[in-house]
Amino acid sequence: KYVEIVDGVMKNVKFDDEIHIADMGAGKGYLTFALFEYLTTRYDKKIVMEGVEIRPDLVLKINDIIEKCNLENFKFVESSIEDYKPAKLDVLIALHACNTATDDAILKGIRNDAKLIICAPCCHKQIRQEMEKSGKTDSITRFGIFLERQAVMITDAIRALVMEYCGYKTQVMEFIEMENTPKNVLLVGRKSDAPIDKSAISKQIDGLLEQSGIGEHYLWKHLFVSLH
């Protein structure tokens, strides 16, 4: 299902003869390998894939497998998402990068002018802590389970709005069935040349933050740090 979704999204983007893809927090690389195999056999363009993983033992193990399989233009890189420095980045992928690592991944795509950003976001911890710290609850969020769900929606809504603020046409879709995992939301941002009303988007984000008693959203705050 993941490969089908990525393939469907990529078909609507115009790429050069080489497509440079980075999979952030790639782990053991099961989905990274699956996507690389699919794209290299179905696309008439050169696919250059990097899996970004901070654990050196995994990077060593996966690169050994890549070498034994004689896979060209494919490697794993030992790095945090924040410190990763791609030579070129067309497609950024991040699946369930924990806590604010999803925000770091989105920032990495924005900073490198990626044509496509695909994230299955995780998680809402930073925003939930902000909401709890403010003590601002209503008739819904005073119930803990609803506070948690609200934090999830606000976190990901602002992530989507930040991508729109930076010139991406953003979609939010279901990734896989709910019975497989509750973390089934996929954020997709396609770089667009359409005019952006940054003032209106900024007001929407600030309004969400104020309404929910949130002092700061990690991605919204660090976007401006990265721009100055």
Side-chain angles (χ1 to χ4, degrees), residues 9-225:
V9 172
M10 287 182 62
K11 282 179 178 176
N12 295 317
V13 178
K14 187 176 180 180
F15 294 104
D16 297 330
D17 291 335
E18 291 186 5
I19 306 177
H20 291 253
I21 305 171
D23 188 354
M24 301 295 184
K28 294 180 179 178
Y30 297 122
L31 294 177
T32 322
F33 273 83
L35 183 62
F36 181 76
E37 191 275 338
Y38 181 89
L39 295 178
T40 52
T41 55
R42 301 294 183 95
Y43 280 57
D44 60 355
K45 297 179 182 292
K46 180 180 177 181
I47 305 298
V48 181
M49 178 87 82
E50 288 189 337
V52 180
E53 173 56 48
I54 199 168
R55 291 168 286 185
D57 55 329
L58 272 182
V59 173
L60 190 64
K61 180 179 180 180
I62 300 304
N63 279 335
D64 183 54
I65 294 170
I66 290 171
E67 186 177 348
K68 287 176 180 176
C69 293
N70 295 314
L71 300 176
E72 297 180 355
N73 307 311
F74 183 26
K75 66 179 179 180
F76 266 47
V77 177
E78 182 188 337
S79 175
S80 66
I81 293 172
E82 191 174 6
D83 293 335
Y84 174 62
K85 293 180 173 59
K88 185 182 179 187
L89 185 58
D90 295 310
V91 180
L92 178 136
I93 296 169
L95 302 180
H96 299 156
C98 288
N99 201 9
T100 54
T102 294
D103 300 307
D104 287 328
I106 293 171
L107 273 176
K108 187 64 60 174
I110 291 169
R111 289 172 182 168
N112 287 275
D113 203 29
K115 294 181 178 181
L116 189 59
I117 298 174
I118 304 172
C119 290
C122 175
C123 37
H124 60 276
K125 192 181 298 181
Q126 186 256 326
I127 288 302
R128 173 161 183 163
Q129 289 171 346
E130 287 284 317
M131 292 172 76
E132 289 174 336
K133 185 169 62 178
S134 74
K136 187 175 182 178
T137 59
D138 55 30
S139 56
I140 296 174
T141 56
R142 71 186 182 89
F143 298 103
I145 190 170
F146 292 146
L147 174 64
E148 184 173 337
R149 291 177 183 176
Q150 188 86 326
V152 171
M153 288 190 291
I154 292 170
T155 302
D156 293 338
I158 293 177
R159 285 167 172 163
L161 286 168
V162 169
M163 286 198 284
E164 290 192 345
Y165 181 91
C166 294
Y168 288 84
K169 184 178 179 181
T170 306
Q171 288 179 281
V172 182
M173 63 182 75
E174 189 176 76
F175 179 25
I176 54 177
E177 298 300 327
M178 183 67 82
E179 57 262 29
N180 294 311
T181 174
K183 299 174 183 177
N184 68 337
V185 169
L186 198 69
L187 302 180
V188 176
R190 299 181 187 87
K191 194 70 176 176
S192 171
D193 293 327
I196 309 161
D197 188 343
K198 289 194 171 188
S199 176
I201 296 172
S202 181
K203 285 178 182 177
Q204 288 181 59
I205 294 172
D206 291 339
L208 270 173
L209 295 175
E210 183 180 356
Q211 175 186 325
S212 306
I214 298 168
E216 68 178 47
H217 185 290
Y218 181 94
L219 177 57
W220 186 229
K221 175 187 175 182
H222 284 76
L223 174 68
F224 295 101
V225 172

